[in-house]
Amino acid sequence: MKKDTKFIYRLNGGLYVNLTNRCCNDCVFCLRRNGDGIKGDTLWLEREPSASEVVDAIKAAGFQYGEVVFCGYGESTYRVPEIVEISRYVRPLGKTTRLNTNGLGNLINGRDIVPDLKGNVDAVSVSLNESDAARYAALCRPAYGLDAYPAILDFCRRCVCAGINTVMTVVDVIPPAEIEKCRESARLVGARLRVRRRINNNNDYT
């Protein structure tokens, strides 16, 4: 498997799955503004892979990994059935699964997707990024406008209730006082908060 494979890529000992380039946000700090991928892996897709193609790529990859992460150059929850099918292949192998998401999957799909994730995804990392709806809309420019932020909080709450390990994240482009407000929002829904640094060079991505 070539290093620049688009469907899967290796990062920090994990196997990352790149299912789509579609996204309902246009974040001002998005990695996609910096280049075509990270650490030499081109992540712009010519087409979206099927679940079976991803599974075949995983089988052929030939490297050791403990975790499969749904995180590419788009919002993976556009493809919930594929997340489920791939998870059902890797979890019996003793691998854990994580979904990195903007938390807007319920709006994207027009339904609650958490029951699909329960039992298939071990952890979710949700990009909260701001402390209220207006600030979030200005920073992340979601297609759903001011409806996006409460939907993220609701999604996180549902994940916590479903027993999914839930972490909310912010990028350190916002003031410390706003980060603390985000920490309180995470606490109220039962999640943890992680502060991520802004990446200006995609080769520095961790």
Side-chain angles (χ1 to χ4, degrees), residues 19 38 64 68 117 135 150:
L19 287 174
I38 59 173
Q64 298 298 312
V68 172
L117 303 179
R135 289 176 181 271

Side-chain angles (χ1 to χ4, degrees), residues 87-160:
S87 295
R88 288 177 176 172
Y89 166 72
V90 299
R91 290 182 86 244
L93 301 177
K95 316 300 182 182
T96 59
T97 52
R98 170 164 47 102
L99 169 65
N100 289 359
T101 176
N102 62 18
L104 295 172
N106 288 350
L107 291 182
I108 289 168
N109 291 277
R111 64 180 181 85
D112 182 9
I113 66 169
V114 175
D116 299 72
L117 303 179
K118 182 178 181 180
N120 294 304
V121 172
D122 297 298
V124 295
S125 177
V126 182
S127 300
L128 182 64
N129 290 329
E130 264 296 1
S131 60
D132 61 46
R135 289 176 181 271
Y136 180 87
L139 184 68
C140 297
R141 300 185 287 196
Y144 301 104
L146 295 178
D147 291 335
Y149 196 78
I152 295 170
L153 296 178
D154 181 65
F155 174 76
C156 291
R157 186 179 298 109
R158 290 172 185 267
C159 286
V160 170

Side-chain angles (χ1 to χ4, degrees), residues 21 30 98 125 163 174 193:
N21 292 152
C30 184
R98 170 164 47 102
S125 177
I174 64 175
L193 185 79

Side-chain angles (χ1 to χ4, degrees), residues 7 31 110 173:
F7 298 165
L31 288 174
V173 296

